Amino acid sequence: MKVVFAGTPEFARVALAAIHAAGHTVSLVLTQPDRPAGRGMKLQASPVKQFALEHGLPVAQPTSLRLDGKYPQEAEQARAALQHAAPDAMVVAAYGLILPQWVLDLPRLGCLNIHASLLPRWRGAAPIHRAIEAGDAQTGVTIMQMDAGLDTGDMLAMRTVPVGDATTAQLHDTLADLGGEMIVHALQDAQAGHLQATSQPQLPSGVSPDSVQAQALGITYAHKIDKVEAAINWSQDAAVIARRVRAFNPFPGASGSLRGELIKCWQAQAVPGATSHAPGTVLQADAQGVLVQCGEGALLVTELQRPGGKRLNAQAFLRGFALVPGEVFV
């Protein structure tokens, strides 16, 4: 089968590798333009582009696919490349660009999306982070037939995995592997004409995706992670903070301020119990971890990082940044 693949980050690279290994002809790879990255802020190719170049796959990197947008010439060039690629199907995974209707209509079998949630829960940009943050017991991958909406198309396949105590980094890797496996099966089913579609609930026109009505339909939106969310609110329940620590690992990293330094908290667990100390107060600091009072219960932080330093377990961290009970995170 001739496949066009559209994706950008590591999650998408895993899927592209699975499709390539399965023997499909990848006639074109679409990925985001190179971005500045690293301390030197040099232009860096996406993981998807790196894989494509290593395996001799043609690559296009349009800034936009909208023919009536700010970059019509790039969009026209992309359309010509897509038409030349003549795909039977297009696979999309964390691409980062909205696909206009002309793209959705181009492949013979349509566009299949790999989405890292159990739709219609956690439509949108950050489904893995938000599932962990919300305390979901399970999440998974949905293969979806794309339409013009945001993750609103018919569902073609779905598999679940437990969330457990996973961080976003750990769950990302599990779901990336699962997505690669599932899309290979979905392409086989599409080629054989065996795909079965299940429609998603749809919001009435004008109803907010964050409304009670949406939630009643099982619809939730995984809004993009903002760096300002990294700041720990020590007045929250310790269990809530512990979930946020896992959800924001590796980005943006939950953090608290102490002695004017921003301390990243990478691994932590909630500890039940009540004290009379104010939220943010250090209750204990030893090889077992840094225990901090929260609004309800306490947070035992076991991996920390100072600005410009390395991620360290509590024992190693405290050797270079001694803490004493009574100090207060803000």
Side-chain angles (χ1 to χ4, degrees):
M1 178 184 292
K2 291 181 70 175
V3 176
V4 163
F5 185 87
T8 299
E10 177 63 18
F11 182 89
R13 185 205 65 79
V14 174
L16 174 58
I19 292 168
H20 185 264
H24 294 289
T25 300
V26 181
S27 53
L28 180 65
V29 172
L30 296 176
T31 191
Q32 288 269 347
D34 297 358
R35 306 291 190 201
R39 292 191 175 184
M41 295 301 287
K42 296 181 179 179
L43 286 178
Q44 184 170 314
S46 72
V48 163
K49 180 181 178 180
Q50 292 176 35
F51 180 92
L53 295 179
E54 289 167 2
H55 293 82
L57 306 178
V59 176
Q61 297 178 269
T63 304
S64 171
L65 292 167
R66 289 184 53 185
L67 298 171
D68 59 350
K70 292 174 60 177
Y71 307 95
Q73 186 174 358
E74 290 189 40
E76 285 286 2
Q77 291 171 347
R79 179 162 67 170
L82 279 163
Q83 290 172 339
H84 178 74
D88 296 303
M90 183 170 176
V91 173
V92 182
Y95 177 31
L97 290 184
I98 294 174
L99 302 189
Q101 192 63 47
W102 72 262
V103 178
L104 299 175
D105 293 340
L106 192 146
R108 179 173 61 87
L109 298 172
C111 299
L112 308 185
N113 178 247
I114 309 169
H115 188 74
S117 84
L118 304 176
L119 292 172
R121 188 162 177 79
W122 303 127
R123 295 173 177 172
I128 301 175
H129 304 74
R130 298 306 183 189
I132 294 174
E133 183 185 20
D136 290 3
Q138 62 181 18
T139 186
V141 171
T142 303
I143 305 297
M144 177 190 67
Q145 187 86 49
M146 295 182 71
D147 62 13
L150 177 61
D151 300 328
T152 57
D154 289 349
M155 299 177 292
L156 306 174
M158 181 182 293
R159 285 176 60 183
T160 64
V161 299
V163 174
D165 293 326
T167 64
T168 288
Q170 293 165 336
L171 197 54
H172 167 280
D173 291 351
T174 298
L175 296 178
D177 289 342
L178 180 60
E181 177 185 330
M182 290 176 65
I183 194 62
V184 169
H185 288 298
L187 289 173
Q188 291 171 347
D189 288 343
Q191 194 168 24
H194 294 159
L195 281 178
Q196 296 185 345
T198 302
S199 61
Q200 293 191 57
Q202 303 297 337
L203 283 176
S205 178
V207 175
S208 168
D210 296 315
S211 66
V212 173
Q213 187 173 350
Q215 293 179 16
L217 293 170
I219 298 170
T220 55
Y221 274 80
H223 296 288
K224 185 178 179 180
I225 301 297
D226 193 308
K227 288 184 178 180
V228 300
E229 297 182 69
I232 295 174
N233 178 358
W234 298 102
S235 296
Q236 292 182 317
D237 189 303
V240 172
I241 299 175
R243 293 199 303 266
R244 289 171 67 85
V245 169
R246 292 190 290 111
F248 298 158
N249 180 353
F251 177 85
S255 60
S257 182
L258 185 67
R259 302 180 199 164
E261 289 195 29
L262 201 63
I263 308 298
K264 296 271 189 178
C265 301
W266 292 112
Q267 297 283 348
Q269 61 190 66
V271 178
T275 74
S276 59
H277 293 85
T281 303
V282 176
L283 305 177
Q284 170 190 319
D286 56 28
Q288 303 304 310
V290 177
L291 189 66
V292 185
Q293 180 64 47
C294 302
E296 182 70 32
L299 190 74
L300 183 65
V301 186
T302 55
E303 186 178 36
L304 308 94
Q305 182 182 21
R306 293 177 69 181
K310 297 180 180 180
R311 293 168 58 155
L312 300 171
N313 63 36
Q315 184 175 27
F317 178 85
L318 292 170
R319 282 200 294 265
F321 194 83
L323 294 176
V324 295
E327 293 192 83
V328 181
F329 280 93
V330 295

